[in-house]
Amino acid sequence: MNIANQPLLKLENITKRFKELTAVNGINLAVASGEKLVIIGPSGSGKSTLLRSINLLEEIDEGTIRFEGREVGYVLHNGRRQQDRPQAISALRAEIGMVFQHFHLFPHMTVLGNVMEGPLTVQRKPADEARSIATDMLAKVGLSDKRDVFPATLSGGQKQRVAIARAVAMRPKMMLFDEPTSALDPELVGEVFDTIHTLADEGMTMIIVTHHMGFARELADRVIFMESGNFLAEGTPEELFGAAQDNERIRGFLNRLL
Amino acid sequence: MKYPCGRVFVTLLFLWALAGTCFGAADYDLLFRHSSDLMAQGDLDGALALLKQVPTPAASEDASAFVSSRMQAGRIYASQNATDKAIAACQEVLKLFPDNSEARNFVAALRDQLKPRWHTILSDILRFLPVLAKGALMTLLLVFCTMLVSPLGGLLIALGRISRVRPVSGLCWFIIWFFRGTPLLLQLFFIYYGLPSLGITLSPFLSAVIGLGLNYSAYLGEIIRGAIQSIEHGQMEAAKAIGMSYGQAMRRIIIPQTYKRLMPPVGNEFIALIKDTALVSTIAMVELMRAADQMFNTYFNITALVLAAAIYLVLTTIFTFIFEKIEYRAGIYEHR
């Protein structure tokens, strides 16, 4: 098998149910290294659940997740599928960065402390090295001057940029963005978008769940429209947003947003 | 209806006495007898009014009636706690007879009663303080030992309660259920008096620390569990998302954020602890309460108890102050 052609992430038949509700319904997806994938769709369509299933924050009911070709997250034990060892799960999460809608910065640590935390605690790097990595990351997101303040004093846009720096400081192989701008005031969306764009330009593989169509158009190699746990349509931004779009539901959704 | 009759009677008596004086017949026997009757009836004001009718004698006259009347008035005033007036009555006598020993002694005793309290209370305090201070030191030692043991025990119990391993959470639930559900006094009795029958004999101090430590671990366990579960769920997810294990996330992210929320209820518990240490006086520990009790029972002097209360208040005040400071510092990242 040609490693160059092997997708970085491959999802097979991913299914997640919450009691009666099937949030994700047998999804298949392959993401190539360096690809920028944007998932759009109405609220409750399973986008976030799918994203959270990838780094194992949700335990899926069916399906397999392959990362760099190896099956991750679940093992067969006496013929029954169960979650892998906690160490293995943590190791996978360390390789996949995640950015949340509500930032979830650590409020008791300074900005620098937040960004250092992964390299320091998870990768067990010496404090000096962790600090220099964090300093670089803060420079990259343009927040070097905020390194010693606590998150409570930051604006939403600044918080989200710190959260991105915190995730990237782990040098992940791919990034997941779960509605990274949905909790922000409109005038703060731009700075977060620019930060993500910079990362994309550096070749980072990423999956972005968003309601901002500007993102999808400018950044995406591929856009997926998701509804009720299924992929309804998939294509380049031009194909999905273009005049040729003939799916009524997608047209209606896009018209409501634009 | 005694009173108006008394008035009329007194008035008649007064006229009679006045007449007696006018006639120079200085016979006061009857006056003294009636004033005694009035006193027996409880009419002290009436008795005093009568006694005052005895005039200051001239130099040549017999002064015994005068001296008796003033001394009697002094005693009545003293019985009313009107010490100043009592002294004034005696000094009328002393003005004429500076050597009158009865009046002098009475004034001295009255003066003693005037300053008395401060003097005796101070000497009581000085007598009790060393004993109570020693007891207070033992109280503090017990408090500190419990403060060292119980947060650790409480954290273990809290983490155990949250644990998904059923036997662990069940055991921790049982510990909380038992130690919160039975009196501390009973737990102390059981450890000190009950365990020896199982072959485990502990010193009073060790029994006290174990009893207080277990009891407060159970209470703090519930408080810590509540604080951990009050931390927003996203914090645990964010920690896991950068690859932290459950233990790392707890140690580095979740537990440090509970400190600020823990301080008010934990401060409360530790202040309750200072007072709860009084219970170990029942298992042969001499701490502040026991020391105060011993002093009280030896001298029947309530100052020992008041002093103990004051020491408890000083201790709780200091602790309150310290915990307010710690609470502020623990939450400093929210103020800046």
Side-chain angles (χ1 to χ4, degrees):
Chain A
M1 190 176 173
N2 187 345
I3 292 186
N5 288 340
Q6 176 185 293
L8 180 64
L9 176 76
K10 194 159 193 287
L11 306 180
E12 291 161 7
N13 190 34
I14 302 293
T15 299
K16 170 70 187 176
R17 299 184 196 90
F18 295 109
K19 297 204 175 114
E20 303 296 296
L21 176 81
T22 303
V24 177
N25 188 10
I27 289 291
N28 292 293
L29 174 69
V31 181
S33 189
E35 189 178 3
K36 290 101 184 80
L37 176 68
V38 170
I39 303 177
I40 58 171
S43 325
S45 59
K47 311 181 296 290
S48 288
T49 308
L50 178 65
L51 212 58
R52 292 162 54 81
S53 301
I54 294 172
N55 77 344
L56 310 173
L57 284 176
E58 298 287 353
E59 186 179 352
I60 56 174
D61 298 300
E62 283 169 41
T64 52
I65 303 167
R66 286 176 199 283
F67 190 72
E68 297 183 305
R70 68 203 144 88
E71 208 177 315
V72 293
Y74 303 89
V75 290
L76 278 178
H77 184 74
N78 297 333
R80 279 184 59 203
R81 188 170 148 288
Q82 65 179 47
Q83 278 200 305
D84 202 351
R85 301 183 344 270
Q87 296 93 317
I89 289 176
S90 294
L92 177 77
R93 287 176 181 147
E95 295 193 274
I96 302 179
M98 176 128 186
V99 172
F100 300 89
Q101 180 179 356
H102 294 288
F103 333 127
H104 298 325
L105 291 183
F106 307 135
H108 58 303
M109 295 178 173
T110 62
V111 164
L112 187 74
N114 267 271
V115 183
M116 278 175 70
E117 189 58 20
L120 190 70
T121 305
V122 179
Q123 297 175 333
R124 299 191 184 284
K125 294 202 158 123
D128 286 348
E129 198 185 332
R131 191 172 296 114
S132 96
I133 292 171
T135 309
D136 289 349
M137 292 303 146
L138 285 176
K140 189 187 268 188
V141 300
L143 287 171
S144 297
D145 56 325
K146 298 286 185 187
R147 51 175 279 166
D148 293 323
V149 306
F150 287 99
T153 62
L154 299 179
S155 73
Q158 290 169 333
K159 282 181 188 167
Q160 195 58 296
R161 282 148 68 197
V162 174
I164 293 170
R166 178 176 69 181
V168 177
M170 292 291 291
R171 308 232 182 263
K173 291 175 176 148
M174 110 181 267
M175 290 280 293
L176 307 174
F177 292 90
D178 188 3
E179 306 201 18
T181 55
S182 297
L184 299 178
D185 292 338
E187 74 269 22
L188 300 178
V189 170
E191 61 186 75
V192 172
F193 179 59
D194 290 345
T195 306
I196 297 174
H197 213 298
T198 310
L199 268 181
D201 289 346
E202 288 172 5
M204 176 68 78
T205 311
M206 49 178 74
I207 304 178
I208 306 168
V209 167
T210 186
H211 287 295
H212 281 99
M213 294 307 125
F215 258 20
R217 270 177 206 235
E218 247 190 81
L219 212 132
D221 298 323
R222 184 158 53 124
V223 181
I224 290 173
F225 183 88
M226 195 171 174
E227 191 179 60
S228 310
N230 296 298
F231 287 173
L232 219 68
E234 184 176 337
T236 63
E238 293 75 34
E239 286 168 355
L240 228 78
F241 302 131
Q245 179 55 259
D246 50 4
N247 187 315
E248 273 309 308
R249 303 192 72 110
I250 299 175
R251 281 206 83 91
F253 175 76
L254 292 176
N255 283 338
R256 274 198 303 282
L257 278 179
L258 295 173
Chain B
M1 283 280 116
K2 264 181 189 167
Y3 191 74
C5 300
R7 263 292 146 80
V8 174
F9 183 66
V10 167
T11 314
L12 290 172
L13 217 60
F14 168 73
L15 290 170
W16 178 82
L18 197 65
T21 317
C22 290
F23 290 113
D27 181 3
Y28 294 107
D29 285 354
L30 198 58
L31 184 143
F32 281 117
R33 208 177 303 141
H34 284 304
S35 85
S36 297
D37 289 345
L38 287 176
M39 275 174 68
Q41 288 167 22
D43 183 7
L44 297 179
D45 288 339
L48 281 170
L50 269 182
L51 290 169
K52 277 193 184 149
Q53 297 316 312
V54 183
T56 311
S60 58
E61 280 178 294
D62 174 27
S64 63
F66 167 74
V67 172
S68 302
S69 74
R70 293 308 184 264
M71 291 309 294
Q72 179 70 5
R75 278 189 285 274
I76 293 175
Y77 280 131
S79 77
Q80 288 176 319
N81 282 329
T83 314
D84 290 341
K85 285 182 181 170
I87 290 175
C90 292
Q91 271 167 346
E92 277 189 67
V93 176
L94 287 175
K95 213 184 278 172
L96 290 183
F97 310 101
D99 297 329
N100 185 305
S101 61
E102 193 191 356
R104 286 176 69 162
N105 290 341
F106 196 28
V107 168
L110 286 167
R111 290 225 162 107
D112 225 38
Q113 254 184 46
L114 260 191
K115 52 184 155 168
R117 307 255 155 115
W118 294 117
H119 189 247
T120 46
I121 286 176
L122 202 65
S123 71
D124 285 346
I125 289 175
L126 288 176
R127 181 166 37 165
F128 298 142
L129 198 57
V131 183
L132 295 191
K134 227 174 126 191
L137 277 183
M138 179 51 80
T139 292
L140 271 179
L141 185 63
L142 282 166
V143 168
F144 280 128
C145 287
T146 312
M147 279 175 72
L148 281 181
V149 173
S150 60
L152 290 174
L155 181 61
L156 287 179
I157 290 172
L159 292 175
R161 278 275 278 145
I162 299 169
S163 166
R164 287 201 206 139
V165 184
R166 295 297 293 209
V168 174
S169 64
L171 175 71
C172 292
W173 176 88
F174 176 83
I175 291 172
I176 292 169
W177 173 75
F178 182 81
F179 284 98
R180 283 205 317 183
T182 55
L184 175 57
L185 191 59
L186 190 146
Q187 294 163 20
L188 290 169
F189 276 19
F190 179 77
I191 292 169
Y192 184 64
Y193 297 115
L195 286 186
S197 64
L198 301 175
I200 307 167
T201 307
L202 299 167
S203 71
F205 183 77
L206 209 54
S207 303
V209 171
I210 290 174
L212 289 167
L214 281 170
N215 193 271
Y216 275 83
S217 292
Y219 276 98
L220 292 187
E222 278 298 84
I223 291 171
I224 294 171
R225 179 182 68 85
I228 286 174
Q229 290 180 334
S230 79
I231 301 297
E232 187 212 354
H233 188 60
Q235 290 292 314
M236 180 56 100
E237 291 208 328
K240 283 180 172 174
I242 57 169
M244 282 195 189
S245 67
Y246 179 81
Q248 286 172 332
M250 273 293 170
R251 189 166 47 82
R252 300 276 308 170
I253 307 302
I254 306 298
I255 290 171
Q257 288 185 56
T258 62
Y259 295 156
K260 184 194 156 60
R261 297 181 196 193
L262 280 176
M263 282 312 140
V266 169
N268 246 345
E269 287 299 315
F270 284 153
I271 282 163
L273 168 66
I274 294 174
K275 296 173 292 165
D276 271 358
T277 55
L279 289 173
V280 307
S281 61
T282 55
I283 56 166
M285 281 291 296
V286 181
E287 38 61 73
L288 180 51
M289 184 64 224
R290 181 69 174 274
D293 190 42
Q294 283 174 347
M295 289 298 101
F296 179 66
N297 279 323
T298 309
Y299 297 99
F300 294 105
N301 190 324
I302 203 158
T303 307
L305 300 183
V306 175
L307 193 58
I311 295 176
Y312 276 117
L313 279 171
V314 168
L315 293 183
T316 52
T317 307
I318 292 171
F319 270 67
T320 308
F321 181 75
I322 291 173
F323 272 96
E324 274 171 8
K325 288 275 172 236
I326 296 177
E327 184 192 342
Y328 178 80
R329 306 212 89 210
I332 203 118
Y333 54 83
E334 287 173 6
H335 313 302
R336 257 190 224 158

